[in-house]
Amino acid sequence: MAESTTVSNTENLMKYMKLDQKGAVLAEYIWIDGTNGIRTKTKTLSKPVKDYKELPEWNFDGSSTGQAPGDNSDVYIRPCAIFPDPFRGGDNVLVMTETWDPDGTPNKFNYRHECVRLMDANAKRQPWFGLEQEYTILGPDGWPYGWPKGGYPAPQGPYYCGVGTGKVFCRDIVEAHYKACLYAGIKISGINAEVMPSQWEFQVGPCEGIELGDHLWVARYLLYRVAEEFGAKITIEPKPIKGDWNGTGLHTNVSTAEMRKDGGMKAIEDACKKLGERHEEHILVYGEGNAERMTGEHETASIDKFSYGVANRGASIRIPRQCAQEGKGYLEDRRPASNACPYRITGVIMETIFGGQEGVDFSKAES
């Protein structure tokens, strides 16, 4: 483990966490800022809530988050999903929100709103998504946990799904995050150590429609909060360590009702062809710094070429072998970078496969 300079006062904190809240409930409002980062603030409620529709709209200073100018800085946050709070427990909740401008229009960084429109318009297609969030755990010095200071560990090989000292690092953070997600009701479906040491992955899904984006963003929030308590940093940069080391992605599994039917392979292949026709548009919203990751090496396709194939992890789109054998199932889009927004990923995929909606164009959305 890398040396930590963080002082933990958990034992002292727990005395206060156990105090009676006298019927009050704490709601942690979560939103996405102008840099694709996470911001939160806490609101005191007078009673427990069971549905996000019971929660009030709130606001924040958008000039401090890159979402509004200083002379018109109020940005409003509207609740859209709630989850039990694993840090505070009890009736306290986490609240996923959308950002809105004072004139009643969605903030330019509110990609959820447009994604909802596409999901609602194609609800009969029953789109399922499963995203594989890779990330890297860093020490306070910004270097991967467990790596020699200023140096490098042994080459890749023994770390993927590894077990044992020297093969995996920070499993305590990973396990704590897993449990926090389960407590919060996140549809987390698994975890594993990745190819580069101190690199991990968790999977969210299958989720239908907009639920995937909500669950993944809250799962990211939980990861940052857990790491904060352990004195570690989380990075979802696509290529955190340059050179002969794997990057980090957000592989996106997609399935529709037609793909899951007998003979669904035709729908899968049709979708692959459509995705190929808009390859450049997808790359625009598939994350910042993705060119450093998508080099055609380290289990990636080249960023400027589109391809798809069965069981090919060097292709843009992988069709799992089991799906090819059964003639139905899903496809895996391997292009999204680890820092991409799940609302933009799933939104542009729906737009490409089934057509867009008036006033919605994910390929031209501001970043």
Side-chain angles (χ1 to χ4, degrees):
M1 297 286 284
E3 184 179 344
S4 175
T5 59
T6 300
V7 176
S8 174
N9 290 299
T10 302
E11 186 175 354
N12 290 337
L13 172 64
M14 291 310 297
K15 293 188 297 184
Y16 301 98
M17 295 299 287
K18 293 175 182 177
L19 294 177
D20 187 355
Q21 294 181 188
K22 305 297 184 182
V25 170
L26 304 182
E28 192 75 11
Y29 279 54
I30 303 167
W31 74 94
I32 313 307
D33 68 15
T35 64
N36 199 45
I38 297 173
R39 306 283 182 134
T40 74
K41 57 190 295 192
T42 310
K43 190 175 191 66
T44 302
L45 308 176
S46 61
K47 61 181 180 180
V49 293
K50 299 298 183 184
D51 191 286
Y52 74 88
K53 295 176 183 176
E54 300 175 54
L55 291 160
E57 185 178 273
W58 207 8
N59 63 77
F60 64 91
D61 171 16
S63 69
S64 296
T65 64
Q67 291 169 280
D71 60 356
N72 188 20
S73 63
D74 285 358
V75 177
Y76 295 85
I77 38 180
R78 297 180 182 177
C80 52
I82 61 171
F83 303 84
D85 187 338
F87 303 111
R88 294 174 171 137
D91 291 323
N92 302 304
V93 293
L94 305 176
V95 186
M96 191 65 209
T97 69
E98 288 188 11
T99 52
W100 288 74
D101 289 336
D103 63 2
T105 60
N107 185 264
K108 65 180 179 180
F109 299 104
N110 180 356
Y111 301 117
R112 186 184 189 278
H113 176 69
E114 293 186 337
C115 188
V116 168
R117 289 183 58 192
L118 285 164
M119 295 302 176
D120 288 348
N122 293 285
K124 65 181 180 181
R125 308 281 189 174
Q126 298 177 354
W128 293 359
F129 299 97
L131 269 63
E132 305 167 21
Q133 176 70 69
E134 295 179 341
Y135 61 95
T136 307
I137 304 176
L138 310 176
D141 58 358
W143 199 238
Y145 250 117
W147 288 35
K149 282 195 172 184
Y152 299 87
Q156 295 181 154
Y159 311 111
Y160 173 70
C161 295
V163 177
T165 301
K167 294 183 180 179
V168 293
F169 304 93
C170 300
R171 192 184 291 275
D172 48 359
I173 293 175
V174 176
E175 292 287 342
H177 173 248
Y178 203 167
K179 285 295 189 76
C181 284
L182 291 171
Y183 180 94
I186 300 297
K187 291 187 176 178
I188 185 170
S189 48
I191 58 171
N192 62 269
E194 269 300 334
V195 177
M196 187 179 80
S198 290
Q199 182 187 61
W200 289 83
E201 173 185 296
F202 66 88
Q203 303 91 34
V204 172
C207 296
E208 187 165 340
I210 197 64
E211 182 181 55
L212 186 283
D214 293 342
H215 281 233
L216 188 71
W217 270 118
V218 175
R220 281 179 175 176
Y221 162 75
L222 293 173
L223 179 60
Y224 287 123
R225 278 285 283 106
V226 167
E228 178 185 315
E229 296 193 3
F230 283 83
K233 297 179 180 180
I234 301 296
T235 178
I236 53 174
E237 182 183 343
K239 189 72 173 178
I241 303 297
K242 315 309 177 190
D244 193 18
W245 302 96
N246 273 36
T248 54
L250 187 58
H251 299 155
T252 300
N253 301 283
V254 184
S255 181
T256 64
E258 191 174 4
M259 293 178 186
R260 295 189 292 273
K261 292 179 180 177
D262 288 341
M265 183 56 65
K266 183 180 184 304
I268 293 173
E269 291 177 341
D270 288 346
C272 288
K273 292 172 184 175
K274 290 179 179 179
L275 291 167
E277 291 170 359
R278 299 188 77 212
H279 176 65
E280 293 182 2
E281 288 89 338
H282 280 247
I283 292 299
L284 285 174
V285 298
Y286 273 6
E288 295 295 321
N290 209 10
E292 290 190 69
R293 166 182 164 264
M294 292 190 65
T295 61
E297 299 179 351
H298 301 110
E299 300 180 86
T300 68
S302 173
I303 197 167
D304 55 6
K305 295 179 181 177
F306 178 83
S307 60
Y308 70 92
V310 174
N312 184 358
R313 283 179 164 77
S316 308
I317 306 288
R318 179 180 72 95
I319 300 172
R321 187 170 301 283
Q322 182 179 357
C323 295
Q325 291 173 341
E326 295 179 356
K328 60 183 178 181
Y330 67 97
L331 62 87
E332 177 193 48
D333 191 339
R334 298 178 60 79
R335 296 172 294 174
S338 49
N339 60 4
C341 172
Y343 297 134
R344 300 180 81 180
I345 295 172
T346 56
V348 76
I349 287 173
M350 295 298 289
E351 183 178 75
T352 296
I353 296 177
F354 298 120
Q357 293 290 300
E358 185 177 353
V360 176
D361 187 349
F362 272 93
S363 69
K364 293 181 180 178
E366 285 193 59
S367 60

